PDB file of all heavy atoms in Angstrom:
ATOM      1  N   GLN A1671      22.276  39.397   5.883  1.00 94.00           N
ATOM      2  CA  GLN A1671      21.793  38.981   4.600  1.00 94.00           C
ATOM      3  C   GLN A1671      22.763  39.439   3.450  1.00 94.00           C
ATOM      4  O   GLN A1671      22.975  38.645   2.519  1.00 94.00           O
ATOM      5  CB  GLN A1671      20.449  39.576   4.329  1.00 94.00           C
ATOM      6  CG  GLN A1671      19.327  39.006   5.214  1.00 94.00           C
ATOM      7  CD  GLN A1671      17.965  39.299   4.781  1.00 94.00           C
ATOM      8  OE1 GLN A1671      17.730  40.249   4.035  1.00 94.00           O
ATOM      9  NE2 GLN A1671      17.088  38.417   5.092  1.00 94.00           N
ATOM     10  N   LEU A1672      23.190  40.703   3.473  1.00 94.00           N
ATOM     11  CA  LEU A1672      24.039  41.189   2.398  1.00 94.00           C
ATOM     12  C   LEU A1672      25.484  41.311   2.728  1.00 94.00           C
ATOM     13  O   LEU A1672      26.465  41.228   1.953  1.00 94.00           O
ATOM     14  CB  LEU A1672      23.529  42.620   1.952  1.00 94.00           C
ATOM     15  CG  LEU A1672      22.066  42.655   1.566  1.00 94.00           C
ATOM     16  CD1 LEU A1672      21.635  44.006   1.092  1.00 94.00           C
ATOM     17  CD2 LEU A1672      21.722  41.681   0.348  1.00 94.00           C
ATOM     18  N   GLY A1673      25.816  41.612   4.051  1.00 94.00           N
ATOM     19  CA  GLY A1673      27.146  41.886   4.389  1.00 94.00           C
ATOM     20  C   GLY A1673      27.252  43.298   4.942  1.00 94.00           C
ATOM     21  O   GLY A1673      26.484  44.183   4.570  1.00 94.00           O
ATOM     22  N   ALA A1674      28.222  43.502   5.856  1.00 93.00           N
ATOM     23  CA  ALA A1674      28.385  44.802   6.494  1.00 93.00           C
ATOM     24  C   ALA A1674      28.618  45.961   5.560  1.00 93.00           C
ATOM     25  O   ALA A1674      28.326  47.036   5.886  1.00 93.00           O
ATOM     26  CB  ALA A1674      29.453  44.758   7.613  1.00 93.00           C
ATOM     27  N   VAL A1675      29.239  45.701   4.376  1.00 92.00           N
ATOM     28  CA  VAL A1675      29.415  46.707   3.479  1.00 92.00           C
ATOM     29  C   VAL A1675      28.107  47.443   3.061  1.00 92.00           C
ATOM     30  O   VAL A1675      28.222  48.655   2.688  1.00 92.00           O
ATOM     31  CB  VAL A1675      30.090  46.292   2.089  1.00 92.00           C
ATOM     32  CG1 VAL A1675      31.530  46.115   2.135  1.00 92.00           C
ATOM     33  CG2 VAL A1675      29.375  45.083   1.450  1.00 92.00           C
ATOM     34  N   ALA A1676      26.988  46.771   3.092  1.00 94.00           N
ATOM     35  CA  ALA A1676      25.751  47.322   2.652  1.00 94.00           C
ATOM     36  C   ALA A1676      24.955  47.951   3.795  1.00 94.00           C
ATOM     37  O   ALA A1676      23.946  48.539   3.553  1.00 94.00           O
ATOM     38  CB  ALA A1676      24.946  46.220   1.951  1.00 94.00           C
ATOM     39  N   ARG A1677      25.504  47.863   4.996  1.00 96.00           N
ATOM     40  CA  ARG A1677      24.739  48.326   6.137  1.00 96.00           C
ATOM     41  C   ARG A1677      24.523  49.896   6.076  1.00 96.00           C
ATOM     42  O   ARG A1677      25.450  50.654   5.842  1.00 96.00           O
ATOM     43  CB  ARG A1677      25.506  48.042   7.412  1.00 96.00           C
ATOM     44  CG  ARG A1677      24.825  48.520   8.653  1.00 96.00           C
ATOM     45  CD  ARG A1677      25.757  48.589   9.873  1.00 96.00           C
ATOM     46  NE  ARG A1677      26.464  47.392  10.063  1.00 96.00           N
ATOM     47  CZ  ARG A1677      27.599  47.296  10.745  1.00 96.00           C
ATOM     48  NH1 ARG A1677      28.156  48.417  11.176  1.00 96.00           N
ATOM     49  NH2 ARG A1677      28.289  46.155  10.877  1.00 96.00           N
ATOM     50  N   PRO A1678      23.162  50.317   6.166  1.00 97.00           N
ATOM     51  CA  PRO A1678      22.940  51.710   6.181  1.00 97.00           C
ATOM     52  C   PRO A1678      23.639  52.369   7.353  1.00 97.00           C
ATOM     53  O   PRO A1678      23.644  51.865   8.458  1.00 97.00           O
ATOM     54  CB  PRO A1678      21.420  51.820   6.319  1.00 97.00           C
ATOM     55  CG  PRO A1678      20.865  50.514   6.017  1.00 97.00           C
ATOM     56  CD  PRO A1678      21.993  49.507   6.450  1.00 97.00           C
ATOM     57  N   ALA A1679      24.147  53.639   7.084  1.00 97.00           N
ATOM     58  CA  ALA A1679      24.870  54.317   8.122  1.00 97.00           C
ATOM     59  C   ALA A1679      23.832  54.795   9.187  1.00 97.00           C
ATOM     60  O   ALA A1679      24.164  54.979  10.383  1.00 97.00           O
ATOM     61  CB  ALA A1679      25.572  55.544   7.587  1.00 97.00           C
ATOM     62  N   LYS A1680      22.589  54.956   8.741  1.00 97.00           N
ATOM     63  CA  LYS A1680      21.546  55.394   9.661  1.00 97.00           C
ATOM     64  C   LYS A1680      20.194  55.014   9.156  1.00 97.00           C
ATOM     65  O   LYS A1680      19.940  54.932   7.995  1.00 97.00           O
ATOM     66  CB  LYS A1680      21.660  56.954   9.657  1.00 97.00           C
ATOM     67  CG  LYS A1680      20.559  57.682  10.400  1.00 97.00           C
ATOM     68  CD  LYS A1680      20.971  57.931  11.918  1.00 97.00           C
ATOM     69  CE  LYS A1680      19.731  58.233  12.768  1.00 97.00           C
ATOM     70  NZ  LYS A1680      19.534  57.346  13.878  1.00 97.00           N
ATOM     71  N   VAL A1681      19.324  54.664  10.072  1.00 97.00           N
ATOM     72  CA  VAL A1681      17.881  54.393   9.659  1.00 97.00           C
ATOM     73  C   VAL A1681      17.016  55.419  10.228  1.00 97.00           C
ATOM     74  O   VAL A1681      17.043  55.632  11.449  1.00 97.00           O
ATOM     75  CB  VAL A1681      17.426  53.008  10.098  1.00 97.00           C
ATOM     76  CG1 VAL A1681      15.993  52.692   9.699  1.00 97.00           C
ATOM     77  CG2 VAL A1681      18.321  51.813   9.717  1.00 97.00           C
ATOM     78  N   HIS A1682      16.359  56.108   9.351  1.00 97.00           N
ATOM     79  CA  HIS A1682      15.383  57.180   9.809  1.00 97.00           C
ATOM     80  C   HIS A1682      13.971  56.665   9.717  1.00 97.00           C
ATOM     81  O   HIS A1682      13.628  56.048   8.764  1.00 97.00           O
ATOM     82  CB  HIS A1682      15.501  58.406   8.861  1.00 97.00           C
ATOM     83  CG  HIS A1682      16.860  59.100   8.895  1.00 97.00           C
ATOM     84  ND1 HIS A1682      17.217  59.937   9.825  1.00 97.00           N
ATOM     85  CD2 HIS A1682      17.776  59.096   7.976  1.00 97.00           C
ATOM     86  CE1 HIS A1682      18.426  60.411   9.546  1.00 97.00           C
ATOM     87  NE2 HIS A1682      18.814  59.885   8.415  1.00 97.00           N
ATOM     88  N   PHE A1683      13.210  56.860  10.744  1.00 97.00           N
ATOM     89  CA  PHE A1683      11.821  56.492  10.719  1.00 97.00           C
ATOM     90  C   PHE A1683      10.911  57.712  10.323  1.00 97.00           C
ATOM     91  O   PHE A1683      10.928  58.730  10.999  1.00 97.00           O
ATOM     92  CB  PHE A1683      11.394  55.871  12.015  1.00 97.00           C
ATOM     93  CG  PHE A1683      12.113  54.677  12.344  1.00 97.00           C
ATOM     94  CD1 PHE A1683      13.252  54.678  13.294  1.00 97.00           C
ATOM     95  CD2 PHE A1683      11.914  53.482  11.714  1.00 97.00           C
ATOM     96  CE1 PHE A1683      14.026  53.577  13.492  1.00 97.00           C
ATOM     97  CE2 PHE A1683      12.678  52.285  11.955  1.00 97.00           C
ATOM     98  CZ  PHE A1683      13.700  52.373  12.911  1.00 97.00           C
ATOM     99  N   VAL A1684      10.128  57.540   9.330  1.00 96.00           N
ATOM    100  CA  VAL A1684       9.297  58.632   8.833  1.00 96.00           C
ATOM    101  C   VAL A1684       7.818  58.080   8.652  1.00 96.00           C
ATOM    102  O   VAL A1684       7.650  56.931   8.566  1.00 96.00           O
ATOM    103  CB  VAL A1684       9.783  59.244   7.478  1.00 96.00           C
ATOM    104  CG1 VAL A1684      11.138  59.890   7.669  1.00 96.00           C
ATOM    105  CG2 VAL A1684       9.937  58.134   6.440  1.00 96.00           C
ATOM    106  N   ALA A1685       6.905  59.110   8.615  1.00 95.00           N
ATOM    107  CA  ALA A1685       5.555  58.770   8.514  1.00 95.00           C
ATOM    108  C   ALA A1685       5.191  58.287   7.041  1.00 95.00           C
ATOM    109  O   ALA A1685       4.215  57.488   6.809  1.00 95.00           O
ATOM    110  CB  ALA A1685       4.662  59.932   8.899  1.00 95.00           C
ATOM    111  N   ALA A1686       5.875  58.914   6.124  1.00 95.00           N
ATOM    112  CA  ALA A1686       5.586  58.568   4.744  1.00 95.00           C
ATOM    113  C   ALA A1686       6.810  58.834   3.861  1.00 95.00           C
ATOM    114  O   ALA A1686       7.642  59.598   4.216  1.00 95.00           O
ATOM    115  CB  ALA A1686       4.393  59.401   4.164  1.00 95.00           C
ATOM    116  N   LEU A1687       6.910  58.155   2.726  1.00 95.00           N
ATOM    117  CA  LEU A1687       8.014  58.496   1.831  1.00 95.00           C
ATOM    118  C   LEU A1687       7.516  59.400   0.749  1.00 95.00           C
ATOM    119  O   LEU A1687       6.357  59.286   0.216  1.00 95.00           O
ATOM    120  CB  LEU A1687       8.482  57.184   1.076  1.00 95.00           C
ATOM    121  CG  LEU A1687       9.119  56.083   1.983  1.00 95.00           C
ATOM    122  CD1 LEU A1687       9.417  54.801   1.143  1.00 95.00           C
ATOM    123  CD2 LEU A1687      10.317  56.541   2.612  1.00 95.00           C
ATOM    124  N   PRO A1688       8.343  60.481   0.378  1.00 95.00           N
ATOM    125  CA  PRO A1688       7.960  61.388  -0.626  1.00 95.00           C
ATOM    126  C   PRO A1688       7.861  60.624  -1.951  1.00 95.00           C
ATOM    127  O   PRO A1688       8.815  60.041  -2.376  1.00 95.00           O
ATOM    128  CB  PRO A1688       8.974  62.473  -0.541  1.00 95.00           C
ATOM    129  CG  PRO A1688      10.104  62.012   0.200  1.00 95.00           C
ATOM    130  CD  PRO A1688       9.592  60.768   1.015  1.00 95.00           C
TER     131      PRO A1688
END
Side-chain angles (χ1 to χ4, degrees):
Q1671 295 196 332
L1672 303 180
V1675 278
R1677 182 198 305 157
K1680 173 94 198 120
V1681 180
H1682 296 284
F1683 297 103
V1684 291
L1687 295 176

